[in-house]
mmCIF file of all heavy atoms in Angstrom:
data_model
loop_
_atom_site.group_PDB
_atom_site.id
_atom_site.type_symbol
_atom_site.label_atom_id
_atom_site.label_comp_id
_atom_site.label_asym_id
_atom_site.label_seq_id
_atom_site.Cartn_x
_atom_site.Cartn_y
_atom_site.Cartn_z
ATOM 1 N N GLY A 61 -76.439 38.173 -39.210
ATOM 2 C CA GLY A 61 -77.807 38.590 -38.939
ATOM 3 C C GLY A 61 -77.876 40.087 -38.738
ATOM 4 O O GLY A 61 -78.412 40.542 -37.732
ATOM 5 N N ASN A 121 -77.493 45.446 -22.911
ATOM 6 C CA ASN A 121 -76.530 45.620 -24.003
ATOM 7 C C ASN A 121 -76.916 44.753 -25.196
ATOM 8 O O ASN A 121 -76.245 43.779 -25.540
ATOM 9 C CB ASN A 121 -75.121 45.283 -23.510
ATOM 10 C CG ASN A 121 -74.650 46.287 -22.486
ATOM 11 O OD1 ASN A 121 -74.284 47.409 -22.819
ATOM 12 N ND2 ASN A 121 -74.710 45.914 -21.223
ATOM 13 N N GLY A 122 -78.014 45.102 -25.809
ATOM 14 C CA GLY A 122 -78.530 44.349 -26.950
ATOM 15 C C GLY A 122 -79.664 43.434 -26.519
ATOM 16 O O GLY A 122 -79.832 43.126 -25.328
ATOM 17 N N GLY A 123 -80.430 43.011 -27.531
ATOM 18 C CA GLY A 123 -81.526 42.084 -27.259
ATOM 19 C C GLY A 123 -80.994 40.778 -26.676
ATOM 20 O O GLY A 123 -81.633 40.139 -25.840
ATOM 21 N N LYS A 124 -79.833 40.385 -27.117
ATOM 22 C CA LYS A 124 -79.229 39.134 -26.640
ATOM 23 C C LYS A 124 -79.000 39.213 -25.130
ATOM 24 O O LYS A 124 -79.323 38.295 -24.379
ATOM 25 C CB LYS A 124 -77.901 38.928 -27.375
ATOM 26 C CG LYS A 124 -77.266 37.579 -27.134
ATOM 27 C CD LYS A 124 -75.957 37.447 -27.892
ATOM 28 C CE LYS A 124 -76.116 36.845 -29.261
ATOM 29 N NZ LYS A 124 -74.857 36.510 -29.942
ATOM 30 N N HIS A 125 -78.469 40.326 -24.690
ATOM 31 C CA HIS A 125 -78.218 40.493 -23.262
ATOM 32 C C HIS A 125 -79.529 40.621 -22.477
ATOM 33 O O HIS A 125 -79.640 40.132 -21.356
ATOM 34 C CB HIS A 125 -77.322 41.727 -23.053
ATOM 35 C CG HIS A 125 -76.954 41.965 -21.634
ATOM 36 N ND1 HIS A 125 -76.948 43.215 -21.076
ATOM 37 C CD2 HIS A 125 -76.619 41.111 -20.653
ATOM 38 C CE1 HIS A 125 -76.602 43.114 -19.802
ATOM 39 N NE2 HIS A 125 -76.396 41.852 -19.525
ATOM 40 N N LEU A 127 -82.236 39.062 -23.166
ATOM 41 C CA LEU A 127 -82.718 37.677 -22.997
ATOM 42 C C LEU A 127 -81.929 36.964 -21.901
ATOM 43 O O LEU A 127 -82.495 36.228 -21.089
ATOM 44 C CB LEU A 127 -82.601 36.927 -24.331
ATOM 45 C CG LEU A 127 -83.689 37.357 -25.331
ATOM 46 C CD1 LEU A 127 -83.244 37.116 -26.761
ATOM 47 C CD2 LEU A 127 -85.002 36.623 -25.052
ATOM 48 N N TRP A 148 -83.432 30.398 -32.552
ATOM 49 C CA TRP A 148 -82.272 31.296 -32.597
ATOM 50 C C TRP A 148 -81.204 30.701 -31.675
ATOM 51 O O TRP A 148 -81.518 30.224 -30.567
ATOM 52 C CB TRP A 148 -82.670 32.700 -32.156
ATOM 53 C CG TRP A 148 -81.540 33.676 -32.153
ATOM 54 C CD1 TRP A 148 -80.701 33.959 -33.188
ATOM 55 C CD2 TRP A 148 -81.127 34.491 -31.054
ATOM 56 N NE1 TRP A 148 -79.792 34.913 -32.809
ATOM 57 C CE2 TRP A 148 -80.034 35.256 -31.502
ATOM 58 C CE3 TRP A 148 -81.581 34.662 -29.751
ATOM 59 C CZ2 TRP A 148 -79.385 36.160 -30.695
ATOM 60 C CZ3 TRP A 148 -80.930 35.565 -28.933
ATOM 61 C CH2 TRP A 148 -79.846 36.316 -29.412
ATOM 62 N N TYR A 151 -80.825 30.971 -27.534
ATOM 63 C CA TYR A 151 -81.808 30.595 -26.500
ATOM 64 C C TYR A 151 -81.358 29.378 -25.674
ATOM 65 O O TYR A 151 -81.309 29.454 -24.449
ATOM 66 C CB TYR A 151 -83.195 30.302 -27.090
ATOM 67 C CG TYR A 151 -83.869 31.408 -27.861
ATOM 68 C CD1 TYR A 151 -84.502 31.135 -29.071
ATOM 69 C CD2 TYR A 151 -83.913 32.714 -27.385
ATOM 70 C CE1 TYR A 151 -85.150 32.122 -29.794
ATOM 71 C CE2 TYR A 151 -84.554 33.716 -28.105
ATOM 72 C CZ TYR A 151 -85.171 33.407 -29.311
ATOM 73 O OH TYR A 151 -85.815 34.382 -30.025
ATOM 74 N N VAL A 194 -91.047 33.447 -30.677
ATOM 75 C CA VAL A 194 -90.412 34.489 -31.495
ATOM 76 C C VAL A 194 -91.098 34.559 -32.845
ATOM 77 O O VAL A 194 -91.174 33.587 -33.580
ATOM 78 C CB VAL A 194 -88.878 34.293 -31.633
ATOM 79 C CG1 VAL A 194 -88.524 32.913 -32.107
ATOM 80 C CG2 VAL A 194 -88.278 35.335 -32.580
ATOM 81 N N ASN A 198 -86.198 34.328 -36.353
ATOM 82 C CA ASN A 198 -84.871 34.023 -36.837
ATOM 83 C C ASN A 198 -84.660 32.569 -36.416
ATOM 84 O O ASN A 198 -84.793 32.305 -35.215
ATOM 85 C CB ASN A 198 -83.840 34.933 -36.155
ATOM 86 C CG ASN A 198 -82.419 34.566 -36.496
ATOM 87 O OD1 ASN A 198 -82.170 33.709 -37.319
ATOM 88 N ND2 ASN A 198 -81.470 35.228 -35.840
ATOM 89 N N ASP A 226 -89.901 37.274 -28.053
ATOM 90 C CA ASP A 226 -88.793 38.014 -28.645
ATOM 91 C C ASP A 226 -89.339 38.795 -29.837
ATOM 92 O O ASP A 226 -89.671 38.217 -30.869
ATOM 93 C CB ASP A 226 -87.718 37.001 -29.074
ATOM 94 C CG ASP A 226 -86.460 37.669 -29.595
ATOM 95 O OD1 ASP A 226 -86.521 38.846 -29.993
ATOM 96 O OD2 ASP A 226 -85.411 36.994 -29.628
ATOM 97 N N ILE A 228 -87.834 41.301 -31.549
ATOM 98 C CA ILE A 228 -86.787 42.150 -32.145
ATOM 99 C C ILE A 228 -87.038 42.434 -33.630
ATOM 100 O O ILE A 228 -86.579 43.432 -34.164
ATOM 101 C CB ILE A 228 -85.390 41.548 -31.895
ATOM 102 C CG1 ILE A 228 -84.300 42.603 -32.113
ATOM 103 C CG2 ILE A 228 -85.120 40.332 -32.757
ATOM 104 C CD1 ILE A 228 -83.206 42.594 -31.133
ATOM 105 N N TYR A 229 -87.820 41.558 -34.307
ATOM 106 C CA TYR A 229 -88.121 41.796 -35.729
ATOM 107 C C TYR A 229 -89.546 42.319 -35.929
ATOM 108 O O TYR A 229 -90.099 42.174 -37.022
ATOM 109 C CB TYR A 229 -87.925 40.496 -36.529
ATOM 110 C CG TYR A 229 -86.495 39.992 -36.514
ATOM 111 C CD1 TYR A 229 -86.109 38.952 -35.669
ATOM 112 C CD2 TYR A 229 -85.523 40.566 -37.322
ATOM 113 C CE1 TYR A 229 -84.795 38.497 -35.637
ATOM 114 C CE2 TYR A 229 -84.209 40.122 -37.295
ATOM 115 C CZ TYR A 229 -83.855 39.093 -36.457
ATOM 116 O OH TYR A 229 -82.549 38.654 -36.428
ATOM 117 N N GLY A 258 -85.135 45.366 -29.192
ATOM 118 C CA GLY A 258 -83.953 46.214 -29.285
ATOM 119 C C GLY A 258 -83.955 46.993 -30.586
ATOM 120 O O GLY A 258 -84.854 46.829 -31.412
ATOM 121 N N ALA A 260 -81.372 46.952 -32.804
ATOM 122 C CA ALA A 260 -80.356 46.448 -33.740
ATOM 123 C C ALA A 260 -80.869 46.247 -35.158
ATOM 124 O O ALA A 260 -80.248 46.711 -36.118
ATOM 125 C CB ALA A 260 -79.778 45.133 -33.202
ATOM 126 N N LYS A 261 -81.986 45.555 -35.286
ATOM 127 C CA LYS A 261 -82.414 45.116 -36.618
ATOM 128 C C LYS A 261 -83.207 46.203 -37.342
ATOM 129 O O LYS A 261 -83.009 46.448 -38.524
ATOM 130 C CB LYS A 261 -83.267 43.849 -36.500
ATOM 131 C CG LYS A 261 -82.701 42.804 -35.545
ATOM 132 C CD LYS A 261 -81.456 42.137 -36.067
ATOM 133 C CE LYS A 261 -80.912 41.155 -35.042
ATOM 134 N NZ LYS A 261 -79.835 40.329 -35.498
ATOM 135 N N THR A 266 -76.784 47.198 -35.066
ATOM 136 C CA THR A 266 -76.270 46.010 -34.368
ATOM 137 C C THR A 266 -75.048 46.336 -33.509
ATOM 138 O O THR A 266 -74.853 45.742 -32.455
ATOM 139 C CB THR A 266 -75.922 44.902 -35.379
ATOM 140 O OG1 THR A 266 -75.167 45.483 -36.446
ATOM 141 C CG2 THR A 266 -77.176 44.258 -35.947
ATOM 142 N N ARG A 269 -75.393 48.152 -29.565
ATOM 143 C CA ARG A 269 -75.701 47.301 -28.421
ATOM 144 C C ARG A 269 -76.722 47.918 -27.465
ATOM 145 O O ARG A 269 -76.427 48.231 -26.305
ATOM 146 C CB ARG A 269 -74.414 46.911 -27.641
ATOM 147 C CG ARG A 269 -73.277 46.372 -28.472
ATOM 148 C CD ARG A 269 -73.683 45.262 -29.418
ATOM 149 N NE ARG A 269 -74.309 44.127 -28.768
ATOM 150 C CZ ARG A 269 -75.412 43.517 -29.265
ATOM 151 N NH1 ARG A 269 -75.983 43.911 -30.390
ATOM 152 N NH2 ARG A 269 -75.916 42.504 -28.619
ATOM 153 N N VAL A 270 -77.911 48.120 -27.975
ATOM 154 C CA VAL A 270 -79.005 48.558 -27.109
ATOM 155 C C VAL A 270 -80.218 47.651 -27.337
ATOM 156 O O VAL A 270 -80.715 47.540 -28.464
ATOM 157 C CB VAL A 270 -79.418 50.026 -27.356
ATOM 158 C CG1 VAL A 270 -80.492 50.435 -26.345
ATOM 159 C CG2 VAL A 270 -78.220 50.966 -27.264
ATOM 160 N N TYR A 347 -84.343 36.661 -43.191
ATOM 161 C CA TYR A 347 -83.695 35.373 -43.446
ATOM 162 C C TYR A 347 -84.588 34.513 -44.306
ATOM 163 O O TYR A 347 -85.810 34.616 -44.244
ATOM 164 C CB TYR A 347 -83.453 34.626 -42.134
ATOM 165 C CG TYR A 347 -82.770 35.457 -41.088
ATOM 166 C CD1 TYR A 347 -83.510 36.064 -40.069
ATOM 167 C CD2 TYR A 347 -81.391 35.655 -41.127
ATOM 168 C CE1 TYR A 347 -82.885 36.848 -39.115
ATOM 169 C CE2 TYR A 347 -80.761 36.440 -40.175
ATOM 170 C CZ TYR A 347 -81.515 37.038 -39.164
ATOM 171 O OH TYR A 347 -80.895 37.812 -38.232
HETATM 172 C C1 PLP B 501 -84.288 36.408 -32.645
HETATM 173 C C2 PLP B 501 -83.228 37.327 -32.134
HETATM 174 N N1 PLP B 501 -83.328 37.801 -30.898
HETATM 175 C C3 PLP B 501 -82.404 38.633 -30.385
HETATM 176 C C4 PLP B 501 -81.321 39.017 -31.116
HETATM 177 C C5 PLP B 501 -80.322 39.923 -30.455
HETATM 178 O O1 PLP B 501 -80.003 41.057 -31.127
HETATM 179 P P1 PLP B 501 -79.046 42.163 -30.515
HETATM 180 O O2 PLP B 501 -78.369 41.535 -29.331
HETATM 181 O O3 PLP B 501 -78.095 42.499 -31.591
HETATM 182 O O4 PLP B 501 -79.913 43.301 -30.092
HETATM 183 C C6 PLP B 501 -81.143 38.520 -32.404
HETATM 184 C C7 PLP B 501 -79.943 38.841 -33.194
HETATM 185 O O5 PLP B 501 -79.562 38.152 -34.102
HETATM 186 C C8 PLP B 501 -82.143 37.684 -32.941
HETATM 187 O O6 PLP B 501 -82.059 37.209 -34.182
#
Side-chain angles (χ1 to χ4, degrees):
N121 293 284
K124 189 180 268 189
H125 182 222
L127 285 155
W148 179 54
Y151 301 136
V194 52
N198 174 6
D226 185 339
I228 198 139
Y229 297 101
K261 315 290 177 172
T266 47
R269 310 310 303 136
V270 184
Y347 310 99

